[in-house]
Amino acid sequence: MTIAVGETLPEMAVMTLGADGPAPVELSEKLKGRKVVIFAVPGAFTPTCHSAHVPSFVRQKDALMAKGVDEIICLSVNDPWVMNAWGEATGAAGEGITMLADSSGAFTKAIGMDFDAPPVGFVSRSKRYALLAEDGVVKVLHAEENPGTCEISGGEAMLAAL
């Protein structure tokens, strides 16, 4: 079942690349008492994700923070090394966007946002979406119908929803 507005995100760990290598990040700790935007992509370095989705949040970061957002997290079913390199390549990491890896896809599956597209090499990937969570509760959810588009899940749409 897909997560919905009003529901609480599951308490699960995802990964980051720390000084000593991969390290778990408890999402519940990042969300507790905070207003956080999480946007997820089908894959790092893939065309729409790289040229549209991440740049939209880089462009809107300051405006989102001005609306009370404490943190912006980009999540993908990739490994933490890929997410680290992608954050550097897009400038997202330098802008303060947190790049996190749902390496096993466990979080993505738990919220019902997983999909497969074998013809393009996607197996157990994340649908494209953006959500706003306040203290772990989903307040806004923008999920794309087509993973190749970034229309309602981009930074501009999230800003307009706040």
Side-chain angles (χ1 to χ4, degrees), residues 3 22 24 61 107 148:
I3 194 86
K61 179 189 175 268
F107 176 79

Side-chain angles (χ1 to χ4, degrees), residues 58-157:
V58 170
R59 282 192 307 272
Q60 298 305 323
K61 179 189 175 268
D62 292 341
L64 289 163
M65 299 299 192
K67 293 273 190 176
V69 171
D70 295 301
E71 185 172 9
I72 300 170
I73 295 171
C74 176
L75 187 69
S76 185
V77 180
N78 287 106
D79 65 62
W81 288 276
V82 167
M83 291 305 288
N84 186 65
W86 194 38
E88 291 174 8
T90 58
E95 289 295 323
I97 293 174
T98 304
M99 307 297 280
L100 296 177
D102 183 17
S103 301
S104 69
F107 176 79
T108 299
K109 289 174 188 158
I111 65 168
M113 294 301 271
D114 57 309
F115 82 103
D116 294 324
V120 294
F122 285 168
V123 178
S124 297
R125 294 296 184 115
S126 177
K127 294 178 182 176
R128 183 180 310 282
Y129 67 88
L131 64 81
L132 173 72
E134 290 184 26
D135 198 25
V137 177
V138 178
K139 298 295 184 180
V140 175
L141 177 61
H142 295 159
E144 299 287 352
E145 291 293 322
N146 177 342
T149 61
C150 181
E151 296 168 0
I152 63 170
S153 63
E156 290 79 9

Side-chain angles (χ1 to χ4, degrees), residues 11-86:
E11 294 187 20
M12 300 187 82
V14 291
M15 302 293 288
T16 190
L17 189 60
D20 297 323
V25 174
E26 294 295 333
L27 277 179
S28 59
E29 291 302 312
K30 286 216 158 273
L31 301 173
K32 188 176 182 179
R34 302 175 76 218
K35 202 174 190 179
V36 178
V37 169
I38 298 173
F39 72 99
V41 299
F45 292 103
T46 58
T48 304
C49 306
H50 191 75
S51 66
H53 211 174
V54 169
S56 75
F57 280 95
V58 170
R59 282 192 307 272
Q60 298 305 323
K61 179 189 175 268
D62 292 341
L64 289 163
M65 299 299 192
K67 293 273 190 176
V69 171
D70 295 301
E71 185 172 9
I72 300 170
I73 295 171
C74 176
L75 187 69
S76 185
V77 180
N78 287 106
D79 65 62
W81 288 276
V82 167
M83 291 305 288
N84 186 65
W86 194 38

